[in-house]
Amino acid sequence: MPSIDTPDVAVGDPVDHRAVVDEVTSWLTRPADEVDAKLAPEQARVVAAVDRLNGDAESGDEDAYYLQQLLLSRIYQTVMQIPESPTAEGSRVLHEVTRSLEVATIASENRWIEPGFLDSAPTEPREYLSWLKGIVRSHRAFKHPYYTEFINQSAGHDDLRTYVIQESLVDGRFDDFLAMMQVGTSGQAKMEIANNFWDEMGNGDPAEVHTHLFNKIYEVFDVRLDEVEHLLTGSDLLSGNLAVMLCRYRNLYPEAVGYLGMTEWLVPDRFLNVIRAWERLGLPEVGITYHRLHVTIDSQHAAGWFHNVVLPAATSEYMRRGIARGALWRVNSSARHLDERLSYARVTAKA
């Protein structure tokens, strides 16, 4: 088996961020024990390099931000799919790199929340829910012009193809997010998540499983899996990374409740615009089944989520703060993401 490369870069030397990303990526298909045995002496160097990548991303370096989210996305593949050979999942060295990326991502999202804002949340559960929904309803992500104007009125075939690829990191694996986040729950919350998951599973019909239906869209646009990563931006990757992170860790369960709850609440209105674009372009009906289903189902899921997951949890201050933080992470990151998409679409249209 080839040895693991460890370029000779001292902690204080300038860092080639792409080289660091490629180096850590090369670990992922190695057994965890092998990674730890061979890389323990290199741990301080690599973690320092990743920390500097995070620092440059936070300072506004767009390339560093993209590489930061790309590396985290690649690492998350080790926990989001069944491998055909050993992987580095469980490696102590990889865990430290992962935590550095996750902590930096969380800190970045928190900086988009106005200091003290979470302290203004009502304490009574129903008042809290109304407050939370009001914040999201008045947010610019709620009816963003990327959907209401561009997708609805002028998006073409290639625009929708790009849109589907960009959405795949959340829509294409929502069932797995639900399966991950329900661990440790009980009562109303567990039943609501289970019902939601069963709908994603097509209520037991393999032909109706939502990830299967989503893949039909890939067939319409002839999307190859090996091209997907190259078409994703840092903001695309962030959307998927936040969902994986929040559903993976039990201490981030409140944030997952807010993040996924608002994701489902936003879906019906957004997907109506996608359906209009699909019909306007006369694309094959088989490819829009996923979106048609979710216009109705996610309206029901959002209502059930608010009633059975959010309200019971909102008796706890810890849960209220986390749910609100997750909801704000969702709409803030979504607004930035859609701003980027709309700007690119307008530039492309002019060209």
Side-chain angles (χ1 to χ4, degrees), residues 136-155:
V136 174
R137 191 179 284 112
S138 63
H139 199 283
R140 63 193 179 88
F142 191 68
K143 287 186 180 292
H144 196 282
Y146 174 77
Y147 281 99
T148 60
E149 297 174 14
F150 176 68
I151 290 291
N152 186 355
Q153 300 172 14
S154 59

Side-chain angles (χ1 to χ4, degrees), residues 38-94:
K38 294 188 176 182
L39 289 172
E42 301 293 325
Q43 185 168 348
R45 174 186 63 81
V46 175
V47 172
V50 172
D51 287 344
R52 274 182 279 177
L53 170 64
N54 290 330
D56 286 349
E58 184 54 39
S59 70
D61 184 328
E62 293 184 2
D63 289 338
Y65 169 69
Y66 167 75
L67 290 170
Q68 175 198 58
Q69 295 304 316
L70 175 65
L71 180 55
L72 186 56
S73 177
R74 288 177 174 178
I75 291 171
Y76 279 159
Q77 291 305 311
T78 64
V79 299
M80 292 298 293
Q81 60 188 15
I82 304 299
E84 297 182 356
S85 59
T87 72
E89 182 181 9
S91 160
R92 295 187 301 274
V93 177
L94 183 62

Side-chain angles (χ1 to χ4, degrees), residues 192-230:
E192 182 61 38
I193 298 170
N195 288 334
N196 196 324
F197 176 77
W198 193 235
D199 277 344
E200 292 287 330
M201 290 293 96
N203 295 294
D205 182 351
E208 297 297 322
V209 172
H210 290 190
T211 50
H212 171 73
L213 296 176
F214 186 86
N215 288 335
K216 291 294 182 182
I217 311 174
Y218 269 22
E219 293 177 13
V220 168
F221 290 118
D222 191 26
V223 176
R224 304 185 315 275
L225 294 180
D226 61 357
E227 71 174 312
V228 170
E229 183 183 89
H230 301 292

